[in-house]
Amino acid sequence: MPLKLKPAHRQELAAALAAATARGEAIAEVDVSALNRVIEHQPSDQTVTVEAGLTLGALQELLARHGQWLPVDPAHATRLTLRELIDANLSGPRRCGHGTIRDHVLGLTVALADGTLARSGGRVVKNVAGYDLAKLFIGAAGSLGVVTEVTFKLKPLPQAEEFLAAPGATLEAAAQLLEAVAGSALTPVVLDLHRLDPATPGVTVVAGFAGAREDVAWETARARALGFTAVGDLGHEPAFWSAPGAAHRLSVLPALVAPALRPLGAATFVARAGNGVIYHRGPAAAPAPPAPGPLAVMRRLKAAFDPAGIFPNPLPPPAPGAPPV
Amino acid sequence: MHPYGAARPILHKKWTAHSGAPRLLGLPGRDGLIELIGRIRRIGKTVPSTKPTLSRYLFACMTNDQPTPLSPAAIAALRELVGAENVIVGGDELLVYECDAYTIEKQLPHAVVLPKNTAEVAAVVRLCAKWGVPFIPRGAGTSLSGTVLAVTGGVMIALTRMNRVLEVDYRNRRALVEAGCVNAWITQAVKGRGLYYAPDPSSQSACTIGGNVATNSGGPHTLKYGVTTNHVLGFEFVLPDGEVCWLGTRPDGGEEVDGYDLRGVVIGSEGMFGIVTRVLVQLTRAPQSFKTMMGVFESVDAASQTVSDIIAAGIVPGAMEMMDQLITQAVEAAYHFGFPLDAGAVLIIELDGLAAGLERQADRVQEICRQNGAREVRLARTEAERLELWKCRKRAFGAIGRLSPNFLTQDGVVPRSQLPAIMRYIRACSERHGLRIPNVFHAGDGNIHPLILYDEREPDQVRRALLAGHEILEQCIALGGSASGEHGIGVEKIDFMARQFSPDDLAAMRTVRRVFDPAQRCNPHKMFPGSKRCADFAPRKQAAA
Ligand SMILES: Cc1cc2nc3c(=O)[nH]c(=O)nc-3n(C[C@H](O)[C@H](O)[C@H](O)COP(=O)(O)OP(=O)(O)OC[C@H]3O[C@@H](n4cnc5c(N)ncnc54)[C@H](O)[C@@H]3O)c2cc1C
């Protein structure tokens, strides 16, 4: 029977992890939904400290009441806990303007396999005391510990935000438009390229602009002149992620988005053109094995933080016959 | 071949020019410890301040990590590797490397090596691994926390000869540079193409990108643009066993990298995980327009409130920097910008972005300044005037020379809303210890830089300066902040780690340290409070501090 945990508070979680490590018992699931308190929100400091079982949607709602937000926008925010957001390092269309959650975490508390609670960073916007351990846990798929508490750096909600689209273009025309944006003075917060219906050959480019009203007016006027003739929105994002079938990820230089899309044929996709990140439902490419040096360090990290292997292991298994770490 | 010479010196002591504290070039083994402690006691009688260096030596000695000179054969091997002209083992040349910009503690490395490429760095690191000798990565040596100090000697590997901008990819806004490249050179290299490298430490005309990566440097403009970790995509890295690898995004690769974010955890690790040799940075599009203002306030409190009010209004300036009266006077005497000499505080506020929206935002900022009693808000009318203002700000530390022979820079952080509280505390601290403490700092981030003025020829002033610094950082932590916003822990702030973090937090950090550097030879004796044994000596150090 694989172990499922639903701790009422983090001390209970820590004790359960220590026990699992002692028995060498793998944990199938940790439900942290009971750890959902807002610990501290200081609007004037633009920081918030919350437990990781809170959903992103609930957090954004609270922050919006103070004219603030956590500048990440992955799909399905209302059912996404902050722990899931951090474990998978999720992002959304506004990544182009605001980066990923790595850029917004100020401090992190993690329940480790040995039953300790380790905190790194802090609650202030600038802090270099100690190693930046949060970076290790963000995107680690829960393989090094269970995130219980996090402090974020916040931003004010923009005064205005507007989306434009250049629909139905060929991939070549879309590529040209993207180059034109890259060469212009525009600073889009969203620059997505998508095809949601395999039956339609065309692709759509969506650009978003946010900030002071005058800035947005200036940018949208320029963007229209470049070819963003239609009103746009971010409807493609939930639509893509709600569609059936596993999505695969490609990451390329921003300038190489169109060439990377070409071999995918009629597959549906959403591409963050400003970041060079493509999510698609075409054939999955065989993952390139990570270089041996970094991989060895990663394996040692995994072994050091989770010696009994109670958490999942996202690292590729060692080649047969390879010496143990 | 054993790298160490056969003849082990017992104890050389030599007085450092500034303090009279002994510099120990070699320590006896455990056997000689009793004798050593006896000597220290005797030194303690004649030397008024037992320097932190002393207890660090004892610690090093007790952990059997002894500074021992490299043997002639070892030095010959280093010379063979990188060329005799790139190895420094003595004389005035070596003295340059006895400390960084934190000058209270000094210690010579046994050798300084200046490699010309990654292969040489890796080869030197491999030799150190073979010999079991500590090595210390070094950039320009502008660190303010003693993080480059060769606590137990060893081989210092200075990256300053590897200083080229290798490639610029304008379309993807990336630059590949060598680790010894000076921060400001990157922006210079792409000037005219509408791009720049955003993190701008005040030391940017000297400090290296490798040093920036190791300390996760910030600067005035990190308020809006973030710190080094937000702008460094990846780097080439020499692990402590000499293996060369690439961490993070590759120069020709996408942003997303599979596996753990090793890049992220190396940034800010104070050179304790290995040596950065090449860095891939993300360039930022230069703002279309600036509005740079100088607000003149009656008091630091009023200026601090202005900072909070601007943030509360949903405005994110590129930078908000504060100078109090003492520093304004020093800067004015040095650079004649036209700062008022009788103002309690001057606030530099820079808005940047698209020209369209800036006008209205600038009006709003001026309004907020006036609401807080600003007697004057001056707008930089020309680009030259704007640059002049920034030059004064960035050279503020330099102006201190007019006020005092020595100063100790502190680097605490408080939540922005606590700025008035910490500034009041600093004032009280200054009065209590009878030392002047001017302040010039990143107000928008709550990152304070009290400059504690002292004269190193007066042992009691040194003592009081260290004590004042200590108290201020303790108060930062008590107010919910941090002992370091950008200068790092190094040797200087080791004691604060245990105040700011729990033993479990520190254990997790040490786990990562051991993963990267199992022998803990890479920049040793930094950041972490010592083992139990060392703690025996902590009271001595406290008394000294
Ligand atoms: C006047 C003045 C103003 C300053 N202003 C600021 C400021 O505004 N913001 C700020 O953040 N800092 C500031 N500093 C501190 C300092 O400049 C920074 O910490 C800077 O990043 C250090 O760079 P460096 O090249 O001088 O590194 P060094 O001082 O030589 O080294 C610093 C640390 O980095 C490590 N290191 C250096 N190079 C490498 C490498 N290639 N690989 C691995 N590790 C390496 C060293 O081991 C050491 O731990 C200031 C310092 C001065 C003197």
Side-chain angles (χ1 to χ4, degrees):
Chain A
M1 235 316 254
L3 194 57
K4 291 190 179 182
L5 305 179
K6 191 173 190 306
H9 47 77
R10 61 187 189 178
Q11 280 74 16
E12 184 184 324
L13 169 64
L17 297 183
T21 291
R23 293 194 302 269
E25 195 175 358
I27 295 172
E29 193 188 306
V30 185
D31 178 344
V32 291
S33 58
L35 307 178
N36 62 358
R37 289 177 308 152
V38 176
I39 292 167
E40 186 180 19
H41 177 215
Q42 268 299 348
S44 59
D45 292 335
Q46 288 187 319
T47 58
V48 69
T49 302
V50 287
E51 288 188 313
L54 192 74
T55 64
L56 177 61
L59 176 63
Q60 300 287 33
E61 213 181 289
L62 163 85
L63 298 175
R65 290 205 287 272
H66 300 273
Q68 298 179 338
W69 70 308
L70 173 64
V72 288
D73 60 342
H76 310 310
T78 49
R79 26 187 171 100
L80 188 70
T81 64
L82 296 171
R83 174 180 170 230
E84 290 165 316
L85 165 70
I86 289 167
D87 278 355
N89 190 15
L90 297 174
S91 56
R94 292 178 183 85
R95 172 177 181 162
C96 179
H98 300 283
T100 64
I101 198 68
R102 279 189 185 129
D103 297 308
H104 313 298
V105 170
L106 296 172
L108 203 65
T109 305
V110 182
L112 297 177
D114 65 0
T116 57
L117 290 164
R119 185 177 56 89
S120 60
R123 292 188 185 180
V124 279
V125 295
K126 206 165 163 194
N127 181 7
V128 296
Y131 300 143
D132 190 1
L133 291 197
K135 294 289 188 297
L136 271 187
F137 295 97
I138 299 171
S143 65
L144 299 175
V146 181
V147 175
T148 63
E149 193 184 300
V150 54
T151 301
F152 294 113
K153 184 176 174 177
L154 307 173
K155 287 192 181 174
L157 279 168
Q159 192 180 38
E161 188 173 54
E162 224 179 291
F163 301 100
L164 297 176
T170 61
L171 189 54
E172 274 57 42
Q176 270 175 24
L177 181 57
L178 291 175
E179 287 311 298
V181 173
S184 74
L186 293 176
T187 55
V189 291
V190 172
L191 190 60
D192 271 7
L193 181 63
H194 67 78
R195 173 167 53 218
L196 297 178
D197 178 2
T200 47
V203 298
T204 299
V205 187
V206 177
F209 303 94
R213 259 186 331 268
E214 298 88 336
D215 291 347
V216 173
W218 185 89
E219 297 219 62
T220 47
R222 290 231 155 177
R224 279 191 200 96
L226 284 183
F228 288 93
T229 49
V231 171
D233 58 50
L234 296 182
H236 61 279
E237 185 64 9
F240 179 81
W241 294 108
S242 304
H248 310 294
R249 190 186 72 192
L250 282 173
S251 181
V252 297
L253 279 171
L256 299 181
V257 165
L261 286 170
R262 224 161 270 137
L264 297 180
T268 57
F269 70 86
V270 171
R272 314 263 182 257
N275 305 89
V277 178
I278 299 166
Y279 304 98
H280 67 90
R281 292 205 171 80
L295 186 59
V297 175
M298 289 176 201
R299 290 211 173 105
R300 290 205 299 272
L301 275 170
K302 172 69 178 159
F305 276 103
D306 183 18
I310 65 170
F311 298 128
N313 189 349
L315 302 172
V325 196
Chain B
M1 172 198 58
H2 194 275
Y4 293 144
R8 289 238 177 155
I10 313 168
L11 173 68
H12 290 288
K13 62 175 196 273
K14 191 165 109 192
W15 308 114
T16 52
H18 73 292
S19 68
R23 177 191 292 142
L24 311 177
L25 288 180
L27 286 178
R30 275 165 207 272
D31 296 344
L33 195 61
I34 311 246
E35 205 247 359
L36 174 74
I37 289 172
R39 276 174 190 250
I40 299 285
R41 288 223 176 94
R42 264 169 280 145
I43 292 167
K45 289 217 176 75
T46 51
V47 180
S49 84
T50 44
K51 290 286 178 180
T53 321
L54 218 53
S55 59
R56 261 188 256 297
Y57 275 99
L58 282 171
F59 172 47
C61 183
M62 300 207 65
T63 52
N64 215 8
D65 190 354
Q66 303 160 26
T68 328
L70 291 173
S71 71
I75 290 163
L78 289 174
R79 286 190 170 132
E80 172 130 356
L81 254 182
V82 300
E85 70 282 13
N86 296 317
V87 178
I88 303 167
V89 289
D92 288 352
E93 256 191 302
L94 192 63
L95 276 182
V96 172
Y97 298 91
E98 70 175 355
C99 64
D100 49 34
Y102 174 73
T103 55
I104 282 187
E105 292 183 60
K106 297 179 182 176
Q107 173 61 29
L108 289 172
H110 289 111
V112 176
V113 179
L114 298 150
K116 296 177 291 301
N117 53 53
T118 304
E120 286 186 359
V121 174
V124 173
V125 169
R126 272 196 301 272
L127 272 187
C128 291
K130 192 169 113 191
W131 298 335
V133 171
F135 64 94
I136 301 116
R138 178 178 162 118
T142 65
S143 162
L144 287 163
S145 60
T147 178
V148 203
L149 188 73
V151 175
T152 50
V155 176
M156 194 167 274
I157 302 176
L159 281 290
T160 40
R161 301 252 157 107
M162 295 168 58
N163 57 14
R164 290 173 300 166
V165 175
L166 297 172
E167 280 167 35
V168 180
D169 174 351
Y170 290 101
R171 165 60 180 89
N172 295 298
R173 294 189 208 142
R174 294 174 172 191
L176 179 66
V177 305
E178 289 181 314
C181 179
V182 169
N183 173 300
W185 295 356
I186 306 176
T187 293
Q188 265 159 33
V190 299
K191 218 157 106 187
R193 299 290 296 261
L195 296 174
Y196 75 116
Y197 177 62
D200 61 338
S202 304
S203 52
Q204 72 185 135
S205 56
C207 66
T208 68
I209 191 78
N212 293 172
V213 168
T215 55
N216 195 14
S217 282
H221 291 85
T222 50
L223 171 59
K224 179 168 178 181
Y225 292 97
V227 290
T228 301
T229 191
N230 309 112
H231 300 271
V232 164
L233 293 164
F235 39 83
E236 185 182 66
F237 196 60
V238 179
L239 290 162
D241 63 3
E243 177 165 350
V244 180
C245 56
W246 188 278
L247 304 182
T249 297
R250 293 179 167 278
D252 58 354
E255 277 178 17
E256 294 278 3
V257 178
D258 287 332
Y260 303 142
D261 184 14
L262 300 182
R263 169 211 69 93
V265 79
V266 167
I267 295 176
S269 62
E270 302 196 11
M272 298 166 79
F273 290 179
I275 303 191
V276 177
T277 45
R278 288 180 173 201
V279 185
L280 180 69
V281 301
Q282 182 80 66
L283 301 170
T284 302
R285 192 196 293 266
Q288 197 182 55
S289 180
F290 294 97
K291 290 267 180 210
T292 308
M293 288 159 271
M294 182 182 87
V296 179
F297 294 86
E298 293 311 323
S299 68
V300 168
D301 273 13
S304 304
Q305 192 55 48
T306 306
V307 169
S308 286
D309 291 352
I310 290 171
I311 297 284
I315 298 171
V316 185
M320 280 199 276
E321 300 281 303
M322 200 186 309
M323 302 200 277
D324 72 3
Q325 184 168 17
L326 259 180
I327 195 86
T328 311
Q329 289 171 347
V331 168
E332 186 56 24
Y335 310 123
H336 315 292
F337 179 80
F339 289 114
L341 297 177
D342 58 341
V346 165
L347 196 59
I348 301 174
I349 306 160
E350 180 160 282
L351 300 170
D352 65 14
L354 296 171
L358 276 192
E359 199 73 49
R360 191 170 48 83
Q361 278 194 32
D363 289 348
R364 182 84 186 93
V365 165
Q366 297 189 18
E367 194 183 309
I368 294 172
C369 287
R370 296 223 168 76
Q371 277 162 7
N372 282 294
R375 82 158 88 126
E376 183 192 349
V377 187
R378 206 188 296 171
L379 191 73
R381 280 167 311 233
T382 61
E383 178 64 5
E385 215 175 281
R386 173 179 163 261
L387 293 178
E388 190 57 31
L389 187 57
W390 277 115
K391 207 156 88 189
C392 290
R393 161 60 189 94
K394 294 206 171 177
R395 290 215 226 127
F397 285 12
I400 290 294
R402 297 179 167 259
L403 295 180
S404 167
N406 305 92
F407 66 98
L408 178 68
T409 312
Q410 281 305 357
D411 173 41
V413 191
V414 292
R416 272 186 281 257
S417 51
Q418 299 290 348
L419 269 182
I422 193 70
M423 296 311 290
R424 273 194 296 271
Y425 184 87
I426 293 172
R427 251 187 330 270
C429 201
S430 156
E431 281 158 23
R432 195 161 56 239
H433 294 293
L435 295 171
R436 287 177 299 166
I437 311 183
N439 288 276
V440 47
F441 61 101
H442 313 305
D445 287 320
N447 186 188
I448 58 166
H449 285 334
L451 307 169
I452 305 164
L453 309 188
Y454 69 97
D455 183 340
E456 68 179 10
R457 291 162 302 188
E458 300 278 339
D460 195 58
Q461 281 200 22
V462 179
R463 187 189 63 81
R464 279 180 282 144
L466 286 166
L467 192 58
H470 228 79
E471 288 172 0
I472 292 169
L473 292 188
E474 246 167 31
Q475 185 65 11
C476 288
I477 295 175
L479 290 171
S482 168
S484 184
E486 48 185 28
H487 298 164
I489 299 299
V491 297
E492 182 205 12
K493 293 190 272 288
I494 283 180
D495 290 352
F496 291 95
M497 286 298 282
R499 269 165 231 192
Q500 205 169 324
F501 295 103
S502 77
D504 288 345
D505 304 339
L506 294 174
M509 291 181 197
R510 289 192 130 126
T511 299
V512 179
R513 167 83 201 273
R514 280 191 299 269
V515 161
F516 276 92
D517 182 16
Q520 309 194 49
R521 275 184 309 98
C522 183
N523 203 11
H525 308 297
K526 308 287 159 68
M527 191 174 300
F528 295 110
S531 62
K532 195 138 185 68
R533 274 189 157 146
C534 177
D536 297 342
F537 291 92
R540 195 189 294 265
K541 177 175 168 187
Q542 230 84 110

